[in-house]
Amino acid sequence: IVVTSGKGGVGKTVSVSNIAVALARLGKKVLMADIDIGLRNLDLAMGLSDIIVYDIIDVIEGKCSFYDAVYKFENYGTLHLIPAAQSTDKDFLNPESFAKLFKEIEADYDYIILDCPAGIEKGFKSAIAAADLAIVALTPEMPSVRDADKVITLLEMANIPEIKILINRVRKDMIKRGDMLSIDEITDILGISTIGIIEEDEIVIKSQKRNTFAVLEAFSLAGKVFSDVA
């Protein structure tokens, strides 16, 4: 599953980490892979940033095995992370190398969730190369929807079997006043069905600062929907 977006700041990494934690807590074997080469964030979301040794590029270049680079979060069940490289040039990215890596290890996991870089550059092509399902994250603003539309077109051209949208940071009061695009308007523009509609929730922001997850918070509206998505 690749989680992608047309622009940054739409809650992609938060979505990946919460859905992955929820799936692991359901007893699934889950791998999170950060493909945002040079701008990695998934390790931060998981509270790991100071202890990264090997990364996904090291694996692809043969500097270490896949299992040397994987970090395990046993508190949540079988939840693993392979981090992105912080400093490697994006020109290094090769879609075939990424597809080969994930095909080699896919039998070990129920779900592999790829945190894709925002935009439509080479990193995007590498991230979608092995995907069976694409989730396009966006917010209810026209620039985000327009960029999501471009991404959906590229996903369709790449023959991704299934595409869904995940709408983050929704505010019902603003939709009611006409100050924010409604869910119907977004789905009409994009022609793609939703996998989740995440309301604006300050628990998400608090959980990021505390290195925990909205899906673990009993009163988090966003956490409940992330769990439903899982």
Side-chain angles (χ1 to χ4, degrees):
I1 302 170
V2 64
V3 181
T4 183
S5 67
K7 65 193 292 289
V10 298
K12 187 162 44 65
T13 298
V14 167
S15 300
V16 169
S17 57
N18 273 280
I19 293 167
V21 168
L23 283 168
R25 283 166 58 83
L26 289 169
K28 304 300 181 183
K29 296 176 182 175
V30 184
L31 172 69
M32 298 173 287
D34 194 341
I35 317 293
D36 202 349
I37 307 302
L39 293 169
R40 70 179 184 218
N41 282 312
L42 197 48
D43 58 314
L44 279 176
M46 299 303 298
L48 267 191
S49 58
D50 295 333
I51 59 170
I52 298 295
V53 178
Y54 295 117
D55 57 54
I56 195 166
I57 298 297
D58 292 324
V59 177
I60 287 173
E61 289 187 320
K63 293 179 182 175
C64 67
S65 76
F66 170 78
Y67 297 99
D68 289 332
V70 162
Y71 292 82
K72 299 178 180 179
F73 301 91
E74 291 171 351
N75 291 349
Y76 307 115
T78 305
L79 178 61
H80 297 172
L81 164 69
I82 184 162
Q86 187 74 63
S87 56
T88 299
D89 193 313
K90 282 187 168 65
D91 287 342
F92 172 82
L93 293 168
N94 180 321
E96 290 76 23
S97 298
F98 283 82
K100 182 172 179 284
L101 169 64
F102 292 120
K103 290 297 177 189
E104 285 172 356
I105 53 96
E106 69 178 357
D108 294 343
Y109 296 98
D110 297 311
Y111 294 95
I112 298 174
I113 305 179
L114 311 173
D115 190 357
C116 178
I120 53 176
E121 296 174 353
K122 206 167 183 181
F124 170 81
K125 292 176 183 173
S126 297
I128 70 170
D132 303 305
L133 164 66
I135 297 173
V136 181
L138 64 143
T139 54
E141 300 144 340
M142 190 50 79
S144 179
V145 174
R146 185 178 59 192
D147 288 351
D149 195 27
K150 290 179 192 171
V151 167
I152 288 165
T153 299
L154 291 172
L155 292 167
E156 289 172 340
M157 288 171 63
N159 296 316
I160 303 298
E162 191 175 6
I163 305 168
K164 298 286 186 183
I165 56 173
L166 179 69
I167 308 174
N168 280 324
R169 307 191 71 175
V170 171
R171 288 186 53 180
K172 288 181 177 176
D173 57 328
M174 291 184 71
I175 291 173
K176 206 170 186 178
R177 293 197 304 268
D179 295 329
M180 182 177 272
L181 289 170
S182 72
I183 306 306
D184 286 345
E185 286 173 321
I186 294 168
T187 54
D188 283 349
I189 292 167
L190 298 179
I192 299 286
S193 61
T194 60
I195 196 169
I197 299 161
I198 315 293
E199 289 187 48
E200 183 81 83
D201 184 350
E202 67 176 34
I203 292 175
V204 172
I205 299 167
K206 290 177 182 176
S207 66
Q208 287 177 277
K209 187 162 173 51
R210 297 169 185 162
N211 284 329
T212 182
F213 305 94
V215 290
L216 305 180
E217 302 288 340
F219 300 105
S220 171
L221 292 173
K224 182 184 183 307
V225 180
F226 283 130
S227 294
D228 290 345
V229 170

